[in-house]
Amino acid sequence: MSVATAIPEEYKEHISPDKDWKEIVAWVSDLPPLPHVAAQALQLIEDPDTTAGKLTNLLGQDAALTARVLKIANSAMFSRQREISTINQAIMTIGFKTLKGIIVAATLRQLNRKFGPIEKMIWENSTCTAVACRILGTHMKKSYVEEIFLFGLLHDLGKLVLMRQIPKEYEQIMEQAKKGEKFHIAEQKSFGFAHPLIGALVAKKWNFSTDTCQAILHHHDDIPAKVENELQEKTLLVLLADLLSHSLGIGHPEGYSDQSDEILNLGKLLGLDEKDLENLKTKTSEMFNDIGAAFM
């Protein structure tokens, strides 16, 4: 069987023809599974019969995860009038869907063995993009605000994995970014694939939903002439949130390409004018400044 026919159809446009698909699959397979408690918690959240009590008992088995969940739940984005001091309070206050995003954030933060300047840059962008997703979704009165918050956290999962697996090679991508090259374009040229593909494959390995995997895979695709369906709309909102994060200087080195025109074009496609975008950018900056440290 040839390499080309071995590549699943949905991934063909995201990998160069000369790349060995089996090697990429094997490479992703080498990654560790999600930690047991986190994986179990995510499964429980998807179960309609799950209770807050079941989740409380499970999360109580992981002191580090519990501490991080409480820290994030008490941040400005989620906390209400009183301090959330127990996991049960967190679950009852913020709900299952938001809890899922927090568990993912806490788990991904621990993905890399080390947490140097590049990892910090990537993670700040993931956090800021998630914040922008929540702000955009709320402004547009979408029913899937919590879902795209999760998509935003995961959109650059592939970058974190690349830094974990091939840190020296990825440092060269950062050098190209300093010269104005977009990350996914530099990655594609250097590796024959880019972080959206790796992120989607890892999300699939970790049993995230099909929509989550597709949003990660396609968030750097060319902007379409019109929005065809809800999943595409969600994916475009993730891209816009990512661009707003970069426009705030979060997630890239000095010298990175200006994407103002792309923001305006994408905003227009989604029904947002320049004033809307400026207001949303300001809100994103304010919220990220308030809560960013909680996610680190």
Side-chain angles (χ1 to χ4, degrees), residues 25-200:
V25 172
W27 185 60
V28 170
S29 298
D30 285 341
L31 286 171
L34 282 176
H36 174 71
V37 171
Q40 289 286 96
L42 295 179
Q43 287 182 355
L44 276 178
I45 289 170
E46 296 302 319
D47 183 349
D49 295 324
T50 293
T51 64
K54 288 181 181 179
L55 280 166
T56 298
N57 291 336
L58 175 64
L59 293 176
Q61 299 174 25
D62 189 325
L65 179 58
T66 296
R68 190 164 289 277
V69 167
L70 286 173
K71 183 179 180 182
I72 296 173
N74 276 293
S75 66
M77 178 177 286
F78 301 115
S79 64
R80 306 299 191 267
Q81 297 301 315
R82 61 190 178 89
E83 180 183 3
I84 298 172
S85 58
T86 68
I87 287 293
N88 193 65
Q89 287 177 337
I91 294 169
M92 298 302 292
T93 302
I94 65 181
F96 284 10
K97 289 184 179 180
T98 298
L99 178 65
K100 182 177 181 179
I102 294 175
I103 291 172
V104 169
T107 303
L108 290 184
R109 173 61 184 80
Q110 301 168 16
L111 175 66
N112 292 78
R113 299 184 187 94
K114 70 182 186 70
F115 198 69
I118 297 177
E119 290 89 351
K120 183 175 183 288
M121 183 181 295
I122 295 169
W123 186 236
E124 284 179 343
N125 176 258
S126 297
T127 304
C128 189
T129 298
V131 168
C133 280
R134 188 178 180 92
I135 289 171
L136 282 165
T138 301
H139 173 81
M140 297 173 69
K141 296 181 171 59
K142 298 299 180 182
S143 62
Y144 48 72
V145 171
E146 303 304 333
E147 186 177 13
I148 60 172
F149 174 77
L150 178 62
F151 291 177
L153 280 174
L154 290 171
H155 82 286
D156 273 352
L157 172 60
K159 286 183 183 178
L160 291 170
V161 173
L162 288 167
M163 269 304 297
R164 185 183 193 277
Q165 299 292 85
I166 49 172
K168 294 297 183 184
E169 292 87 341
Y170 207 76
E171 286 174 6
Q172 295 304 310
I173 299 298
M174 194 61 61
E175 291 302 312
Q176 294 177 58
K178 292 177 182 177
K179 298 175 183 178
E181 189 83 278
K182 293 180 181 179
F183 286 107
H184 66 286
I185 294 175
E187 293 161 357
Q188 195 74 36
K189 290 178 180 177
S190 297
F191 307 141
F193 55 84
H195 69 269
L197 172 66
I198 299 302

